[in-house]
């Protein structure tokens, strides 16, 4: 016998032939085309019709699909009279589809791949050679690289159910590259904790199929009754749900348990659920001895906040809390005025209250000053903050420490109060330049009766002595060597310089003759 689909392997040739091609069928419509199977299972060759009829002709090669899957194959095409007259197709339930990548406007030699054609059990799949005119030569197509990936992965167990604590292994067979959702591994036991749907995928690349299985989880028995907080000496009833056959750790069986605890306590029930699963459930209770001892605390210092800042308040000593004033326990809010808030704390025994005052701390009246608001170059000044507890100056200048300012500048200080509130102040320090340039005399040496100038620069005010002149440049006509004193000032920054102008006396010139009377033609000497 012959098997052309072998589903025992994950991805295998479509055509696995060990005998004649009796499972495949051929059909002809106005065609003398042929199918050559000598290369099977690696390939088959189909030749189109060329019966010279001038009419459309088709020859098909088909098989019935035994189960769901994905079909992939390669194709190589050649023609004698052009790709628009004879072309290859694949068939699915009688519907012919042009091969992926084939073009009737392309060359006479083409090739490509057809990947992941989905097929289901009972459908008829196959190949077709289509001839438009049946003249001018036939076309040949080689189909090869056949693979079939089954989409009918078998999952065992098919409909699993597990009890609490029970392990299960999900096994998927019949596919390739098996991958499960939910972090489980194919065939590896795991312990479910809730009902869940698990998805298994099979295949690779574009040929991926998916199947699902529902794992039913039978819930364990449970204890119903009061919450985990109880009031001492108050009776409560515990019930077991999900079972009619159970035993309490007290020895009581198949009946509700009435408890009147005086201290923290734990109860255990063991039994078989209605689904036949045995499980044990534990429930612990915190027992409150009486009404809560409620307190109230603030998350900020001194139970308050600076203007615009937020604060949160928390109740203590109870199980739950509600606050007056529209605030919530532990949730930050921004108070606008100092106010008192009341918290009601509740436990299993009842409620009690406590109060807290949330203050809006004052802003410190921060001031900024300098030991000298105006200072001459080369002198020091200190910056002083006031009205707060600590101070932080711009430019990292320590509060009250002298420094040398290089130019006129404004300095800001952030003052922080003992309650952590801050404010800012600014002071300006003016730096006046001390005029230290010396005056210049032109010329520095004067003959008696002559004049010169003395020029000074770099100041706003000048005073010359002698003369008590108030200008930067003076004209001098000294009769003797004279020292001038210049006082230069920029605001309060004063500098005194002296300059000496030397005066030379005029020469006392006279003439001497060797003879006061000479005869004509005689000589005399003058000096």
């Amino acid at each position: 016998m012959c098997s052309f689909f072998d589903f025992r392997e994950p991805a295998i040739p479509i055509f696995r032939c060990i005998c004649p091609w009796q499972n495949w069928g051929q059909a002809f419509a106005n065609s003398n085309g042929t199918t050559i199977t000598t290369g099977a299972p690696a390939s088959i060759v189909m030749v189109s019709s060329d019966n010279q009829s001038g009419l459309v002709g088709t020859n098909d090669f088909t098989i019935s699909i035994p189960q769901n899957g994905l079909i992939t194959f390669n194709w190589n095409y050649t023609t004698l009279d052009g790709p628009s007259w004879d072309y290859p197709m694949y068939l699915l339930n009688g519907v012919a589809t042009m091969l992926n990548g084939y073009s009737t406007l392309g060359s006479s030699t083409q090739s490509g791949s057809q990947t992941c054609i989905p097929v289901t059990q009972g459908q008829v799949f196959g190949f077709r050679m289509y001839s438009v005119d049946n003249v001018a030569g036939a076309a040949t197509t080689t189909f090869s690289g056949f693979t079939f990936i089954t989409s009918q992965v078998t999952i065992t167990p098919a409909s699993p159910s597990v009890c609490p604590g029970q392990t299960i292994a999900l096994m998927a067979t019949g596919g390739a590259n098996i991958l499960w959702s939910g972090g489980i591994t194919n065939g590896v036991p795991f312990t479910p904790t809730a009902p869940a749907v698990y998805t298994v995928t099979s295949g690779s690349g574009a040929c991926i199929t998916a199947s699902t299985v529902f794992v039913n989880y039978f819930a364990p028995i449970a204890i119903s009754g009061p919450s985990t907080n109880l009031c001492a000496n108050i009776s409560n009833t515990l019930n077991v749900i999900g079972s009619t056959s159970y035993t309490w750790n007290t020895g009581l069986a198949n009946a509700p348990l009435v408890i009147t605890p005086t201290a923290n306590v734990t109860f255990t029930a063991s039994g078989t659920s209605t689904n036949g699963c045995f499980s044990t459930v534990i429930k612990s209770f915190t027992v409150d001895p009486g009404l809560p001892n409620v307190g109230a605390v603030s998350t900020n210092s001194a139970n308050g906040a600076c203007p615009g800042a937020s604060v949160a308040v928390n109740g203590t000593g109870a199980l739950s809390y509600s606050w007056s004033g529209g605030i919530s326990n532990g949730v930050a809010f921004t108070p606008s005025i100092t106010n008192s808030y009341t918290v009601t704390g509740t436990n299993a025994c009842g409620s009690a209250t406590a109060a807290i005052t949330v203050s809006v701390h004052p802003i410190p009246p921060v001031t900024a000053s300098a030991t000298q608001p105006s200072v001459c170059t080369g002198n020091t000044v200190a910056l002083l903050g006031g009205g707060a507890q600590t101070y932080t100056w711009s430019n990292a200048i320590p509060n009250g420490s002298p420094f040398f300012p290089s130019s006129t500048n404004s300095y800001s200080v952030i003052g922080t109060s003992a309650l952590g509130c801050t404010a800012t102040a600014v002071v300006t320090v003016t730096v006046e330049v001390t005029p230290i340039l010396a005056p210049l005399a032109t010329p520095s040496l004067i003959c008696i009766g002559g004049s010169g100038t003395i020029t000074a620069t770099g100041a706003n005010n000048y005073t010359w002595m002698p003369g008590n002149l108030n200008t930067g440049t003076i004209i001098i006509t000294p009769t003797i060597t004279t020292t001038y004193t210049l006082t230069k000032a920029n605001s309060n920054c004063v500098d005194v310089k002296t300059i000496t102008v030397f005066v030379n006396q005029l020469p006392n010139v006279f003439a001497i003759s060797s003879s006061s009377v000479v005869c004509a033609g005689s000589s005399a000497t003058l000096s």
Side-chain angles (χ1 to χ4, degrees), residues 439-443 446 451-456 462-478 482-486 499 501:
L440 179 65
T442 307
I446 300 176
S451 64
T453 60
I454 302 177
T455 302
Y462 305 90
T463 302
W464 293 91
M465 297 298 290
N468 196 28
L469 300 175
N470 302 113
T471 181
T473 300
I474 62 173
I475 299 175
I476 57 173
T477 310
T482 303
T483 297
Y484 295 88
T485 300
L486 172 63
I499 186 171
V501 178

Side-chain angles (χ1 to χ4, degrees), residues 190-524:
F190 67 101
T191 305
T193 57
V197 174
Y198 295 91
T199 300
V200 60
T201 58
S202 172
S204 61
C207 298
I208 299 290
T209 62
S211 300
T212 60
V213 61
F214 173 72
V215 176
N216 186 25
Y217 174 81
F218 295 135
I221 61 174
I223 296 177
S224 67
S227 67
T228 55
N229 276 72
L230 303 177
C231 186
N233 300 311
I234 301 298
S235 296
N236 290 274
T237 301
L238 305 181
N239 289 280
V240 172
I241 57 176
S243 174
T244 57
S245 176
Y246 56 89
T247 302
W248 295 97
N249 61 316
T250 61
L252 180 66
N254 304 326
L257 180 65
V258 178
I259 59 173
T260 308
T262 58
N264 295 348
V265 66
T266 298
F267 294 97
T268 302
S270 300
T272 301
S273 69
T274 54
N275 295 310
C277 297
F278 180 84
S279 59
T280 297
V281 61
I282 300 174
K283 191 166 186 177
S284 297
F285 296 94
T286 299
V287 178
D288 297 319
L291 293 176
N293 183 19
V294 179
V297 295
S298 169
T299 58
N300 289 40
S301 63
N303 291 345
C306 299
S310 61
V311 64
V313 289
N314 291 281
T316 62
L319 184 63
S320 62
Y321 307 92
S322 62
W323 285 86
S324 65
I327 63 176
S328 299
N329 195 62
V331 178
F333 67 101
T334 304
S336 57
I337 60 173
T338 298
N339 203 354
S340 293
Y341 300 90
T342 300
V343 61
T344 300
T346 303
N347 67 7
C349 297
S351 301
T353 61
I356 186 173
T357 298
V358 177
S359 302
V360 178
H361 302 325
I363 295 294
V366 177
T367 61
S369 62
T371 53
Q372 297 183 72
S374 179
V375 63
C376 299
T377 52
N379 293 332
T380 62
V381 66
L383 302 178
L384 302 171
Q389 186 177 55
T390 61
Y391 307 92
T392 302
W393 284 92
S394 59
N395 299 335
I397 299 171
N399 190 62
S401 296
F403 71 101
F404 293 91
S406 59
S407 61
T408 298
N409 202 353
S410 294
Y411 302 90
S412 62
V413 63
I414 299 174
T416 304
S417 68
L419 294 174
C421 299
T422 61
T424 302
V426 179
V427 64
T428 299
V429 175
T430 302
V431 177
E432 298 286 355
V433 178
T434 301
I436 60 175
L437 294 176
L440 179 65
T442 307
S444 60
L445 181 64
I446 300 176
C447 294
I448 191 169
S451 64
T453 60
I454 302 177
T455 302
T457 59
N460 295 324
N461 299 291
Y462 305 90
T463 302
W464 293 91
M465 297 298 290
N468 196 28
L469 300 175
N470 302 113
T471 181
T473 300
I474 62 173
I475 299 175
I476 57 173
T477 310
T479 58
I480 61 174
T481 297
T482 303
T483 297
Y484 295 88
T485 300
L486 172 63
T487 301
K488 297 189 296 179
N490 284 329
S491 185
N492 295 324
C493 302
V494 179
D495 183 62
V496 178
K497 290 287 192 297
T498 62
I499 186 171
T500 300
V501 178
F502 294 92
V503 178
N504 289 335
Q505 298 296 320
L506 294 177
N508 187 15
V509 180
F510 58 92
I512 301 175
S513 174
S514 59
S515 176
S516 59
V517 178
V518 295
C519 294
S522 298
S523 63

Side-chain angles (χ1 to χ4, degrees), residues 1-6 8 12-24 37-44 61 63 146:
M1 57 182 300
C2 185
S3 173
F4 302 111
F5 287 89
D6 188 340
R8 294 170 297 174
I12 53 103
I14 294 178
F15 309 102
R16 180 180 296 275
C17 188
I18 56 174
C19 61
W21 292 82
Q22 59 195 38
N23 286 7
W24 287 76
T37 60
T38 55
S43 65
I44 63 168
F61 191 56
I63 191 173
F146 309 106

